Amino acid sequence: MDLLVVGAGPAGIAAAVSAAELGARVVLVDQGTAAGGQIWRRRAGEAAPRAARSWLERLERSSVRVASGGEIVDVDDGGGFVLSAPAELITVRPAATVIATGARELFLPFPGWTLPNVVGAGGLQALLKGGLDVRGRRVVLAGSGPLLLPVAATVTRAGARLAIVAEQAPASALGAFTRSLWRSPRRLVAAGVLRAGFLGTRYAAGTWVVRADGDDRVREVTFTDGSRSWREACDYLAVGYGLVPNTELARLLGAATGASGILVDDRQATTAPGVFAAGECAGIGGAPLAIAEGIIAGTAAAGVAELPRSAVAARARERRFAARLASAFALRDEVYRLADDETVVCRCEDVRAGELGGVHDPREARLHARAGMGACQGRVCGAALAAARGWSEGAVRPPLFPIPVSALIARAD
Amino acid sequence: MSATFVRITVDGHTLAVEPGTTVAVALLNHGITAFRDSVKGTPRGPVCGMGICFECRVTVNGVAGVRACLVACTADMIVQTGGVA
């Protein structure tokens, strides 16, 4: 195998296809049921979104071997990657690797956030794309970022009653951002189309969730705009505060990361030899940026020195836009301080905020309170604590995802 | 969707779901919101929808700890909710 690509979203598909079309033998590993990642997620047999079609068709026509339902769980010193398939563990030794592990949502703890039917904004989008039936259900959507718009449109199209879309960023920041869009009419039109998808619902800037209440599931959400608080009844609360790059595999490989994700050079190469990164894991920027980075990474990983010019130009343009988005949707301090002492911070181990009073880094949080020791391995609470307290992310240890003991035993035999 | 329904068993009840439906969506559409109990016994259900948070773990065909959001329903699948931790 010449190239291993980890993650079959837009970046991974673009990297795999670009390298394969240059003659490389490529394996594309993905934990989902079908290639497409989160943004191009769809049910089996369902037509792909328009933006995805040409890439999925090129993938189909290419020599790329797609390994769905697999996860890279470990690496060894000899350049081997351990693939959980998932019933057995297989070691693969590619000449080069493109990490395209995407991003997850940033969840910030608040009282009541562990109640069933409190989901992520992207989480609700993923469930809706998978066929979740919300007809007639009352949904409230909150958090921050451009992702709230397509989710609101999907919720409305799915027949739910969308009560409010609460964006924590102040109206002033959003207004300045929207006015700046005259320079990119295509984006202005896209935003307008999304807004038109939930015209009957209030999009409230400078508004955020302070708590959720319920019994066997969430029933009611309390919002504030900083001066006034009110409640909304709901069947689902979807809340997400933007995206966090998935850097665990890169860090296990010893690649350097920064505040915005895996560090890459102009060839999308990381600091680890033979390891490239593309897409959201190397900095949040949306699907067009992910595709441009994927093309560049796949081309470079296939050993071609000259980078494709149109992809390089698209990457520069999309990165500038991503920086403007990030500044418009910067998080206010209040949303980092919603948890009270009784609020669970580490959902896997049920560690409450009050138990983390005297700890100063992820290691202490693990040793003293077991925060970050559970099944998600700190992907949720670690990101929240890093964002809220300025902590670095904790150490990464294999397996990156839980694996069955039977697979371990079979491997030892 | 037009393809044949897939039948699965959830906590002893038979459900017919559209092929390609994830276990998480099948359970939610059936009215199940609590997929498991946390280590201190509070009910939990799906959050991230994409395999990261591990809150939607259920037992599938005897294998515990399966993320319901990552697995598609297949014929005669047996799903049990209410696992601990």
Side-chain angles (χ1 to χ4, degrees), chain A residues 215-303:
Chain A
D215 34 51
D216 57 331
R217 67 165 175 84
V218 63
R219 303 278 169 181
E220 191 176 69
V221 180
T222 306
F223 287 95
T224 185
D225 60 10
S227 56
R228 189 175 72 90
S229 293
W230 70 96
R231 293 173 182 189
E232 300 273 357
C234 69
D235 298 307
Y236 283 96
L237 162 61
V239 54
Y241 286 98
L243 301 176
V244 184
N246 289 325
T247 61
E248 289 75 17
L249 175 58
R251 287 188 283 145
L252 192 62
L253 286 161
T257 58
S260 58
I262 304 166
L263 298 184
V264 291
D265 65 10
D266 57 354
R267 301 160 61 240
Q268 298 295 133
T270 72
T271 60
V275 179
F276 298 77
E280 308 280 49
C281 62
I284 304 305
L289 176 60
I291 291 169
E293 292 185 350
I295 293 169
I296 295 166
T299 305

Side-chain angles (χ1 to χ4, degrees), chain A residues 31 33 38 41 43 71 104 114 116-117 119-120 123 126-127 130-133 347-350 375-376 379 401-402, chain B residues 1 18 20-21 24-25 28-29 33 38-40 42-44 46-55 57 67 70 72:
Chain A
Q31 67 181 185
T33 52
Q38 298 308 324
R41 177 191 279 265
R43 278 193 283 179
E71 288 170 328
R104 58 181 179 267
T114 58
N117 286 18
V119 299
L127 294 167
L132 179 68
D133 185 358
R347 305 174 62 114
C348 297
E349 295 289 328
D350 275 349
C376 95
R379 284 178 172 84
F401 293 96
Chain B
M1 236 182 263
E18 290 181 351
T21 305
V25 167
L28 288 170
N29 284 351
T33 54
S38 73
V39 292
K40 291 191 179 155
T42 60
R44 298 289 168 82
V47 179
C48 77
M50 52 188 80
I52 291 293
C53 74
F54 288 77
E55 288 284 34
R57 281 171 286 159
R67 285 164 279 174
L70 288 185

Side-chain angles (χ1 to χ4, degrees), chain B residues 11-84:
Chain B
D11 299 333
H13 301 279
T14 304
L15 306 187
V17 302
E18 290 181 351
T21 305
T22 61
V23 173
V25 167
L27 267 55
L28 288 170
N29 284 351
H30 186 60
I32 296 171
T33 54
F35 283 41
R36 53 179 281 269
D37 287 333
S38 73
V39 292
K40 291 191 179 155
T42 60
R44 298 289 168 82
V47 179
C48 77
M50 52 188 80
I52 291 293
C53 74
F54 288 77
E55 288 284 34
C56 68
R57 281 171 286 159
V58 293
T59 300
V60 174
N61 293 337
V63 179
V66 174
R67 285 164 279 174
C69 68
L70 288 185
V71 176
C73 295
T74 54
D76 304 323
M77 186 179 257
I78 297 171
V79 179
Q80 286 159 289
T81 67
V84 177

